[in-house]
Amino acid sequence: MTPQGVSFPAELTDLVRSHIREIPDFPSPGILFRDITPLLADGPAFGALVSGLADVYGGRVDAVAGLESRGFILAAPLAAALGVGMLTVRKAGRLPGPVIGVDYALEYGTARMELRPETVSAGQRVLIVDDVLATGGTGAAAVELIRQAGGRVVGLAMLLELADLRGRDRLDGYQVDSVLVY
Ligand SMILES: O=P(O)(O)OC[C@H]1O[C@H](OP(=O)(O)OP(=O)(O)O)[C@H](O)[C@@H]1O
Ligand SMILES: Nc1ncnc2[nH]cnc12
């Protein structure tokens, strides 16, 4: 697949930027945490974000995969707005079986993501959605899971991208669209 990025309206990017809080040394020393809760708490801003994403991806995807847990908050309303199903990529031990799993490293700590392969149809065009692209470990794990389950990853939509952490490099060959890049 040739990655062809989509562009989000500048007003949407500005709206998101103005609703993100930056917290130094959370959840551990040296991490600058980008807090999306002010954006979620602002109804018109959150609505504009979901509408903006739906405008861009409408007609292009058959399912939206949300990555636990903050990715769920964005993926669920987007899937509903697009009229497609939502796939839940969950942290280890949360989904009843049968599941497939992939281990990965985070900016802070390690984790394992799981997916119920029965929720994915063969060849389904899946958009992966998450709030933050940092090292790319979570996104790469999700790509692997969707692929193993028989889905076709058409891209990854990220609310925020922390460019210094080069997560995009781990997603080489996939379309990665970020509303706001730091
Ligand atoms: O690109 P990466 O380095 O993999 O990091 C990005 C991931 O880290 C955060 O999730 P976290 O595991 O902190 O969980 P949460 O969404 O449950 O807060 C964030 O929501 C992304 O999913
Ligand atoms: N710096 C950060 N802020 C918020 N969420 C994150 N997930 C991974 N790194 C993060």
Side-chain angles (χ1 to χ4, degrees):
M1 186 193 79
T2 306
Q4 284 185 329
V6 302
S7 57
F8 298 103
E11 302 76 41
L12 184 62
T13 298
D14 291 342
L15 183 70
V16 170
R17 184 184 290 109
S18 66
H19 285 76
I20 302 299
R21 218 164 53 112
E22 299 188 349
I23 298 125
D25 300 319
F26 182 88
S28 49
I31 301 293
L32 179 60
F33 190 81
R34 315 282 177 163
D35 178 21
I36 65 169
T37 59
L39 175 64
L40 302 176
D42 183 318
F46 188 27
L49 171 64
V50 174
S51 301
L53 291 171
D55 287 346
V56 162
Y57 295 108
R60 299 183 185 208
V61 307
D62 302 315
V64 175
L67 313 190
E68 187 171 5
S69 28
R70 282 173 272 158
F72 287 175
I73 301 167
L74 305 178
L78 177 59
L82 294 175
V84 303
M86 181 191 157
L87 308 175
T88 57
V89 176
R90 300 210 60 178
K91 295 179 178 179
R94 306 273 174 89
L95 284 171
V99 297
I100 52 177
V102 171
D103 295 302
Y104 67 101
L106 282 175
E107 188 186 5
Y108 38 84
T110 60
R112 176 179 176 83
M113 282 298 201
E114 294 179 342
L115 171 70
R116 287 191 58 234
E118 289 166 14
T119 57
V120 183
S121 307
Q124 200 174 31
R125 297 171 301 169
V126 179
L127 176 71
I128 293 172
V129 174
D130 206 355
D131 66 327
V132 175
L133 175 62
T135 66
T138 309
V143 167
E144 181 58 26
L145 288 170
I146 301 293
R147 284 172 50 90
Q148 279 185 26
R152 187 154 62 89
V153 176
V154 294
L156 297 94
M158 300 287 168
L159 178 61
L160 311 178
E161 176 176 348
L162 312 182
D164 288 354
L165 296 173
R166 306 184 67 93
R168 198 171 268 276
D169 294 353
R170 292 176 70 171
L171 299 166
D172 195 29
Y174 290 93
Q175 177 181 319
V176 181
D177 308 314
S178 304
V179 179
L180 172 57
V181 179
Y182 287 103

